[in-house]
């Protein structure tokens, strides 16, 4: 179909503004390295749990932490789940704030497509899982497990596969993951929190207000904010709301727009410092302590024959892919957005399949959904691994088919004939 020159049709997956492209490139470079570490940690966890299961379980159950009224004498497994992932969600909170003030979500028109795609990519997997678990033997409590996208794992797969994905598609993936993380933390806070202790929640909220006040007053010093953040986290943990909510809340508080002669906002500077810790340490260590499940012919058979694990696999592979692709396609039709002529809807379908990789948050929700049934939680984790691997394999095949075209697009985007640091495509655009 020929493209119309009419100015009332906005381009979908078009060339990013140069500052946004540089930010995306820098952010995803760190996440890609983290994704490779995440893959390695998952493999080590699986080997460890299957070769030396008692040793793995002993490490998970070992408790450390101070005794006292805040109940922080936790197992290493819980420290990873409640502590390390708070760092991950802190970065997610900053990303979300930045998307609202400077990224794709700042404009309602530009935000419509990735937001609708992300919401559809959460709703349809939940529906698929619920339908699969609606009969005898089903357990609908795990409906949220297949709803999450793991951007680090997806980028790790891209790095291993050697795909040259254009920056517009990478930015779309990042925006999807940011909205996905927001929905995930809302799901965790609303559906997987119990026994709320309002005194602790009230003090945690007061701590967040103090955090906001100090930040808005321009008070500097990590020695102030780090102890305050730890107190807020401990109070949120004690309140019965999942502790990772504290990370998102503090990330959202940070200012992510520049003022005066600032080159970078406080949120961007802190994200630049903390993102390597999140991607390179927190998430891989969590994977090491969460991904270790016993895999055998029997467990793999159960994944494809029992309602709960099968619902997770179908939710990730079918629900995520169809939800994201269908949501984006319908949104583009209704908003009269034109797809970038250098790309095709098949490219978006491949990215949607890649977004079906739901690892970190899916493993977390597997623990939260079945707290009193360790065997079912383990089968759910195995299903997450199987579903994510299937999505990775299908997406790799689809992306490989277009890899030569992607390489040409990336070379065109990066070409800088005069060596002035500004790619030629942006100078032609200005000219």
């Amino acid at each position: 179909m020929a493209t119309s020159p009419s100015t009332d049709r906005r381009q979908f997956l078009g060339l990013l503004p140069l500052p946004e492209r540089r930010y995306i490139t820098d952010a995803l470079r760190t996440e890609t390295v983290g994704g490779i570490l995440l893959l390695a940690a998952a493999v080590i966890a699986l080997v460890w749990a299957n070769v030396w299961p008692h040793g793995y379980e002993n490490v998970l159950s070992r408790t450390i932490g101070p005794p006292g009224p805040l109940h922080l004498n936790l197992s290493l497994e819980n420290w990873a789940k409640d502590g390390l992932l708070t760092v991950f969600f802190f970065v997610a909170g900053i990303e979300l704030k930045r998307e609202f003030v400077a990224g794709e979500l700042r404009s309602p028109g530009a935000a419509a497509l990735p937001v609708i795609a992300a919401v559809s990519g959460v709703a349809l997997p939940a529906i698929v899982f619920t339908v699969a678990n609606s009969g005898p033997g089903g357990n609908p409590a795990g409906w949220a497990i297949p709803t999450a996208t793991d951007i680090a794992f997806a980028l790790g797969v891209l790095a291993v596969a050697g795909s040259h994905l254009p920056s517009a598609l990478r930015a779309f993936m990042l925006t999807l993951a940011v909205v996905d993380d927001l929905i995930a933390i809302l799901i965790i806070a609303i559906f997987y929190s119990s026994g709320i202790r309002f005194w602790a929640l009230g003090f945690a909220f007061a701590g967040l207000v103090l955090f906001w006040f100090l930040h808005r007053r321009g008070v500097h010093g990590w020695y102030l904010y780090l102890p305050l953040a730890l107190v807020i986290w401990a109070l949120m943990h004690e309140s019965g709301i999942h502790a990772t909510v504290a990370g998102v809340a503090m990330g959202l508080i940070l200012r992510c727009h520049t003022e005066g002669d600032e080159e970078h906002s406080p949120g961007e500077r802190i994200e630049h410092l903390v993102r390597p810790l999140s991607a390179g340490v927190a998430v891989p260590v969590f994977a090491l302590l969460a991904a270790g499940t016993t895999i055998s012919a029997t467990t793999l058979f159960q994944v494809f024959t029992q309602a709960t694990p099968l619902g997770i696999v179908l939710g990730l592979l079918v629900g995520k892919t169809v939800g994201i692709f269908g949501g984006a396609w319908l949104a583009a039709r209704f908003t009269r957005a034109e797809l970038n002529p250098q790309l095709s809807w098949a490219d978006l379908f491949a990215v949607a399949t890649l977004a079906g990789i739901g690892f970190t948050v899916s493993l977390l929700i597997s623990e939260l959904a079945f707290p009193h049934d360790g065997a079912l939680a383990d089968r759910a984790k195995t299903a997450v691994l199987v579903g994510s691997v299937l999505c990775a394999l299908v997406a790799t095949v689809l992306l490989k088919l277009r890899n030569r075209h992607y390489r040409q697009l990336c070379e065109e985007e990066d070409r800088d004939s005069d060596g002035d640091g500004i790619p030629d495509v942006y100078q032609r655009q200005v000219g």
Side-chain angles (χ1 to χ4, degrees):
M1 185 177 67
T3 58
S4 168
S6 174
T7 58
D8 65 343
R9 294 178 69 86
R10 184 175 52 81
Q11 191 175 87
F12 176 43
L13 298 179
L15 186 68
L16 297 173
L18 185 56
E20 181 71 6
R21 181 174 182 269
R22 285 172 172 166
Y23 168 81
I24 293 291
T25 301
D26 182 62
L28 295 187
R29 184 181 297 114
T30 303
E31 292 290 350
T32 299
V33 174
I36 295 173
L37 293 175
L38 175 62
L39 290 172
V43 171
I44 292 171
L46 288 171
V47 172
W48 187 1
N50 284 272
V51 173
W52 191 24
H54 294 298
Y56 187 76
E57 289 298 327
N58 287 338
V59 169
L60 293 186
S61 60
R62 182 167 299 175
T63 60
I64 59 172
L70 294 182
H71 305 98
L72 295 180
N73 188 28
L74 305 174
S75 67
L76 289 179
E77 182 179 20
N78 284 328
W79 274 113
K81 182 172 62 178
D82 296 344
L84 290 177
L85 283 194
T86 301
V87 180
F88 167 79
F89 278 110
F90 175 68
V91 174
I94 300 175
E95 288 178 335
L96 181 65
K97 180 71 172 288
R98 187 195 167 278
E99 286 288 328
F100 276 122
V101 301
E104 284 290 302
L105 302 181
R106 71 187 184 278
S107 164
L113 274 83
V115 169
I116 291 173
V119 172
S120 301
V122 170
L124 194 57
I127 293 171
V128 169
F129 179 91
T130 302
V131 170
N133 284 266
S134 59
N139 195 325
W143 63 270
I145 296 172
T147 62
T149 292
D150 195 308
I151 185 68
F153 202 146
L155 291 170
V157 171
L158 280 179
V160 173
S163 178
H164 298 77
L165 203 64
S167 59
L169 286 172
R170 289 180 181 266
F172 180 74
M173 277 184 59
L174 181 60
T175 305
L176 272 178
V178 168
V179 178
D180 195 282
D181 287 340
L182 172 64
I183 298 173
I185 201 64
L186 289 174
I187 289 173
I188 291 170
I190 295 171
F191 296 100
Y192 296 107
S193 297
S194 60
I196 307 301
R197 300 174 184 85
F198 288 99
W199 69 267
L201 185 60
F203 279 118
F205 181 75
L208 289 170
V209 171
L210 179 59
F211 190 98
W212 174 86
F213 178 80
L214 293 173
H215 184 61
R216 285 297 181 270
R217 284 287 185 178
V219 178
H220 300 289
W222 64 267
Y223 47 84
L224 291 176
Y225 289 101
L226 183 57
L228 179 58
L230 291 174
V231 170
I232 293 170
W233 173 85
L235 288 167
M236 191 69 73
H237 180 271
E238 177 63 17
S239 74
I241 302 292
H242 200 270
T244 51
V245 174
V248 173
M250 287 184 281
L252 288 171
I253 286 172
L254 295 180
R255 176 167 59 84
C256 290
H257 63 274
T258 56
E259 293 181 352
D261 58 353
E262 288 180 334
E263 185 177 354
H264 300 287
S265 68
E268 288 176 310
R269 291 197 302 270
I270 293 171
E271 181 188 11
H272 182 74
L273 292 172
V274 179
R275 184 186 288 277
L277 176 64
S278 170
V281 179
V283 174
V285 172
F286 167 77
L288 181 65
L289 298 176
T293 60
T294 303
I295 296 190
S296 64
T298 301
T299 56
L300 290 176
F301 178 77
Q302 290 172 340
V303 164
F304 293 102
T305 56
Q306 294 184 358
T308 298
L310 180 60
I312 293 170
V313 173
L314 293 177
L316 291 172
L317 184 60
V318 179
K320 268 290 185 185
T321 303
V322 176
I324 291 172
F325 177 80
W329 187 85
L330 289 172
R333 294 300 178 191
F334 282 109
T335 59
R336 294 177 56 78
E338 281 186 337
L339 183 67
N340 182 345
Q342 293 182 310
L343 299 172
S344 71
W345 285 106
D347 298 319
L348 189 68
F349 186 85
V351 168
T353 306
L354 191 64
I357 297 174
F359 190 75
T360 304
V361 178
S362 293
L363 291 178
L364 171 62
I365 297 178
S366 296
E367 294 274 359
L368 300 177
F370 310 116
H372 306 300
D373 191 339
L376 185 56
D378 284 343
R379 287 199 297 275
K381 288 182 180 181
T382 303
V384 169
L385 295 172
V386 171
S388 297
V389 168
L390 289 175
C391 287
L393 292 175
V394 174
T396 297
V397 172
L398 295 176
L399 292 171
K400 280 290 187 181
L401 294 175
R402 295 272 286 170
N403 205 36
R404 180 178 297 178
H405 179 63
Y406 294 153
R407 185 182 292 110
Q408 293 173 348
L409 292 181
C410 289
E411 289 174 353
E412 178 68 18
E413 286 184 7
D414 293 336
R415 186 174 293 116
D416 182 13
S417 301
D418 53 10
D420 63 353
I422 301 176
D424 297 344
V425 66
Y426 289 95
Q427 293 174 324
R428 290 198 301 269
Q429 193 180 57
V430 173

